[in-house]
Amino acid sequence: MNATEWKEKLSAIRDSFSVSITNRSAENPEALELRFLGRKGELALLLRDLKDIPLEERKALGALGNSAKAEMEARLSELKAAAGRAAGPAASGIDLTLPGLPCPKGSLHPLTITMNRLAEGFLKLGFTMSDGPLVEDDYHNFEALNFPPFHPARDMQDTFYVDAKDAAGKDMLLRTHTSPVQIRSMEKQEPPIRVFHTGRVFRSEAVDASHSFTFHQIEGLYVDKGVSMADLKWTVDTFMKDLFGTGVKTRFNPSYFPFVEPGAEVDMSCIFCKSGAGRCHVCKGTGWLEMMGAGLVHPNVLKACRYDPAKWSGFAFGAGIERFAMLLFGIHDMRMLYENDLRVLKQVQ
Ligand code: PHE
């Protein structure tokens, strides 16, 4: 074969490739590739024939052959891509039957869930949500709540003081209970008032299964004409039954808090052993669980907020939210609520 014949042959191959690739239905890209570019394909054989052509012409022909090859390869890969698109994801290597990438769903923290449930209960009873700061002044945390300066009742709550002074020149502190929100709510509004608040409190206490230097409380306050202990008992009992089921009972024991008179601790019948018989580790065999402090608002507290105690009376209560969360979700160690262990958190939805 001489150089002219070789060139003619190359152009014949190019033409026939062009016709075949335009007439796609006749052959698929793989068959075309094999026919023209394969080891024994038409172009490959022609390139092999170059060896019979004199060296001085061979170089130029080789370049022609290689550019024809590159052009064919480019058109074939275009065709393959188009075929892939037309045939859909399966042909392009995407397997739609494979499971998707996991998209884990988050959830609310058990304490948040508990606070929301408590809030729902009190909203239903006509209470409005109220708020107050975590860094408090001495007046709202103690004095207006009838804890005079140096009164021993201040020792009931070991306090974290902050390196800052309030308007009266006293040390600011991390609130030791949610009761200052009672004062802040009464300062803002005339009676009648029916508010609750949930939030964080701080006490200088060692951490163990049932204590922490920070925890959460719910506070409730109702002041109106003629509010009595009977209203407090009904409200607390109704709320507990709403949360833990109609089977639970409540009872009041006398207790002391400077800002209520009379004051009480409220117990709920044990939701685990339901009797008190036996060795229930939750109620320690007593049949009762201590759930909150409560009482009728002390006249000194009403006076501090410019409510006339001769005209108005009210009740207040306060409870630890961790206790509710532990009972609702069967959590035995309070520390589990702060450790962010997903094995615990994922069980509570
Ligand atoms: N503030 C009290 C405490 O933290 C609880 C309480 C609130 C008691 C309201 C009576 C009335 O111990």
Side-chain angles (χ1 to χ4, degrees):
M1 194 187 308
N2 64 30
T4 322
E5 282 167 359
W6 195 92
K7 271 198 213 162
E8 270 166 21
K9 194 107 190 261
L10 179 65
S11 92
I13 291 174
R14 289 175 90 161
D15 290 345
S16 110
F17 177 81
S18 260
V19 171
S20 311
I21 204 162
T22 327
N23 179 16
R24 271 178 217 162
S25 54
E27 294 184 77
N28 62 36
E30 282 72 21
L32 274 181
E33 189 167 36
L34 202 66
R35 186 176 141 202
F36 290 96
L37 303 172
R39 210 161 48 84
K40 289 187 178 162
E42 290 182 33
L43 185 65
L45 293 176
L46 186 67
L47 287 170
R48 227 168 283 165
D49 287 342
L50 275 177
K51 67 179 184 322
D52 304 328
I53 294 173
L55 192 64
E56 57 278 15
E57 290 168 293
R58 202 189 294 166
K59 243 180 140 184
L61 295 181
L64 275 180
N66 281 337
S67 81
K69 189 176 168 192
E71 188 187 315
M72 286 179 186
E73 279 169 348
R75 292 195 62 187
L76 275 169
S77 69
E78 242 177 68
L79 182 63
K80 278 188 201 164
R85 281 196 295 275
S92 63
I94 298 171
D95 184 351
L96 291 181
T97 64
L98 285 175
L101 292 176
C103 179
K105 200 167 149 262
S107 60
L108 295 177
H109 190 276
L111 283 173
T112 309
I113 297 175
T114 308
M115 286 197 259
N116 289 348
R117 283 212 204 158
L118 298 175
E120 270 167 37
F122 282 105
L123 289 169
K124 262 194 276 185
L125 291 173
F127 285 73
T128 307
M129 200 182 264
S130 193
D131 206 1
L134 301 186
V135 182
E136 262 299 0
D137 51 37
D138 186 90
Y139 178 77
H140 289 91
N141 196 83
F142 290 127
E143 209 158 331
L145 285 163
N146 200 31
F147 291 81
F150 308 111
H151 192 279
R154 290 191 177 211
D155 291 344
M156 289 165 77
Q157 304 172 353
D158 284 322
T159 311
F160 285 120
Y161 286 92
V162 187
D163 209 3
K165 301 271 183 225
D166 62 23
K170 294 195 171 154
D171 283 333
M172 299 283 283
L173 48 95
L174 301 184
R175 68 180 188 189
T176 56
H177 51 172
T178 42
S179 300
V181 178
Q182 291 183 34
I183 306 298
R184 292 193 177 272
S185 307
M186 285 190 275
E187 281 172 344
K188 265 182 242 149
Q189 154 183 358
E190 294 295 315
I193 183 170
R194 192 157 39 177
V195 291
F196 76 98
H197 168 72
T198 57
R200 179 172 279 222
V201 301
F202 308 83
R203 287 188 199 174
S204 180
E205 279 180 7
V207 176
D208 66 22
S210 53
H211 293 89
S212 169
F213 56 89
T214 176
F215 55 100
H216 298 76
Q217 285 191 334
I218 178 161
E219 190 83 16
L221 171 75
Y222 173 39
V223 181
D224 205 336
K225 283 186 181 139
V227 175
S228 73
M229 213 56 185
D231 297 296
L232 172 61
K233 287 193 83 168
W234 181 88
T235 305
V236 168
D237 194 69
T238 305
F239 168 72
M240 290 298 197
K241 287 189 162 66
D242 187 37
L243 200 62
F244 292 104
T246 47
V248 300
K249 289 192 217 99
T250 53
R251 75 173 186 191
F252 280 58
N253 299 314
S255 186
Y256 171 73
F257 301 94
F259 38 94
V260 285
E261 182 58 39
E265 295 273 4
V266 184
D267 293 346
M268 173 180 80
S269 53
C270 180
I271 54 170
F272 292 103
C273 69
K274 296 191 174 73
S275 64
R279 296 206 190 124
C280 177
H281 67 278
V282 183
C283 68
K284 311 244 163 30
T286 63
W288 294 96
L289 302 165
E290 204 183 294
M291 296 303 289
M292 60 171 75
L296 294 189
V297 181
H298 196 288
N300 287 351
V301 175
L302 295 173
K303 275 188 226 154
C305 302
R306 296 196 177 80
Y307 282 20
D308 179 359
K311 200 168 157 200
W312 305 101
S313 61
F315 67 68
F317 57 85
I321 288 173
E322 277 73 358
R323 191 86 211 265
F324 283 91
M326 289 163 80
L327 292 174
L328 283 173
F329 302 121
I331 296 171
H332 299 303
D333 190 323
M334 188 170 165
R335 286 167 288 197
M336 286 182 176
L337 292 168
Y338 308 119
E339 283 167 351
N340 290 330
D341 186 337
L342 287 179
R343 289 170 303 180
V344 174
L345 301 184
K346 275 187 174 166
Q347 290 181 47
V348 179
Q349 302 282 334

